[in-house]
Amino acid sequence: MRIGIGKSFGSFHVGTSVSTKGIGKGLWYLLMWPFYLLYYVFIWPLTVIYRAISKKARAYKAEAAEEADKHIEVLQTSLKTCTETKDPDVFFRNISLIDKSFDGLITYEGFLRRCEKKPSEIKQDFNSNRVEFVNDFIERYAKDTRIKIYELSTKSEKLNKANAFYNILNEYSEQIPSESMAKLTVIADQLKDLAKNPDFSL
């Protein structure tokens, strides 16, 4: 609907017309501009901040999942290596990797929903069994050393091999629990007795 405003001069008409639709729209903006102002001053900035934080949180969560997968892969590989190797350097290097991987997983613990147990709890379990874990390696390394002692021909070579067993492991004493150090000393003495007397039964 349009409203005409003007005056006729004979056959001429001078004036203008105004649409009621336009008036209504204008009144709408006139009434609503305080609310628009409030929105753009107070609400819109908060919306922008929320979206930015949400985007950053999603990105961090994705990064956490990716990093967690890397730590889990290192853990699995290192644990397998530790249960198989007879090399002290390889064993204790992988023990360090296990500890670092646990610490890395604990950093992202709040984002790991799929785990039945928290990484901190799994690390606690591992530390509770660390003595047994290290003892298993010491026994495995001792068995390998024992075979090599039998294979050597002279007593001096045998004694050198037995002494090397203790000396090499002692280099990693900071990573060996005190209970395992006690076991190491006992086994080292047994290997020395074996080197002196190949018929010595362990």
Side-chain angles (χ1 to χ4, degrees):
M1 179 179 178
R2 301 185 68 84
I3 300 174
I5 301 173
K7 185 170 180 155
S8 297
F9 296 94
S11 60
F12 295 97
H13 180 84
V14 178
T16 185
S17 64
V18 179
S19 171
T20 55
K21 185 178 180 182
I23 293 174
K25 195 172 183 181
L27 288 173
W28 170 261
Y29 284 127
L30 186 63
L31 293 172
M32 293 301 295
W33 76 265
F35 298 100
Y36 281 111
L37 180 63
L38 287 173
Y39 173 79
Y40 284 107
V41 172
F42 296 105
I43 299 175
W44 183 75
L46 293 176
T47 303
V48 172
I49 293 171
Y50 172 77
R51 288 175 180 171
I53 293 174
S54 297
K55 184 177 180 181
K56 187 175 181 179
R58 287 194 298 271
Y60 184 77
K61 189 174 182 180
E63 179 187 348
E66 184 177 348
E67 288 299 315
D69 286 340
K70 291 179 182 178
H71 289 307
I72 290 171
E73 184 177 352
V74 172
L75 267 174
Q76 291 173 336
T77 302
S78 296
L79 284 168
K80 185 175 186 296
T81 300
C82 282
T83 57
E84 295 176 352
T85 187
K86 300 172 185 176
D87 186 323
D89 184 60
V90 172
F91 178 81
F92 289 105
R93 185 170 66 248
N94 277 274
I95 282 282
S96 296
L97 288 174
I98 289 170
D99 290 333
K100 289 178 181 177
S101 295
F102 273 130
D103 291 339
L105 281 173
I106 291 170
T107 302
Y108 302 108
E109 189 167 83
F111 295 89
L112 304 178
R113 305 296 182 189
R114 62 186 177 181
C115 298
E116 294 182 4
K117 294 184 73 174
K118 293 180 179 180
S120 55
E121 294 173 337
I122 299 173
K123 182 180 181 180
Q124 188 175 357
D125 291 341
F126 177 77
N127 286 335
S128 298
N129 294 286
R130 187 180 290 263
V131 171
E132 183 179 352
F133 195 69
V134 174
N135 285 353
D136 286 344
F137 169 73
I138 291 174
E139 291 174 358
R140 190 164 60 252
Y141 182 43
K143 183 177 180 180
D144 184 63
T145 302
R146 192 178 300 118
I147 292 171
K148 290 177 180 177
I149 287 174
Y150 277 119
E151 291 174 345
L152 293 170
S153 55
T154 67
K155 183 177 289 188
S156 61
E157 289 176 331
K158 294 176 185 291
L159 275 172
N160 287 339
K161 177 60 68 175
N163 288 326
F165 169 82
Y166 178 83
N167 293 336
I168 290 173
L169 285 181
N170 193 49
E171 293 177 4
Y172 303 94
S173 58
E174 292 183 358
Q175 294 177 262
I176 300 177
S178 56
E179 298 93 329
S180 298
M181 284 298 296
K183 184 178 185 67
L184 169 61
T185 302
V186 171
I187 293 178
D189 289 340
Q190 290 176 344
L191 289 175
K192 289 176 185 177
D193 289 338
L194 176 65
K196 294 173 184 176
N197 181 13
D199 295 328
F200 175 74
S201 177
L202 293 177

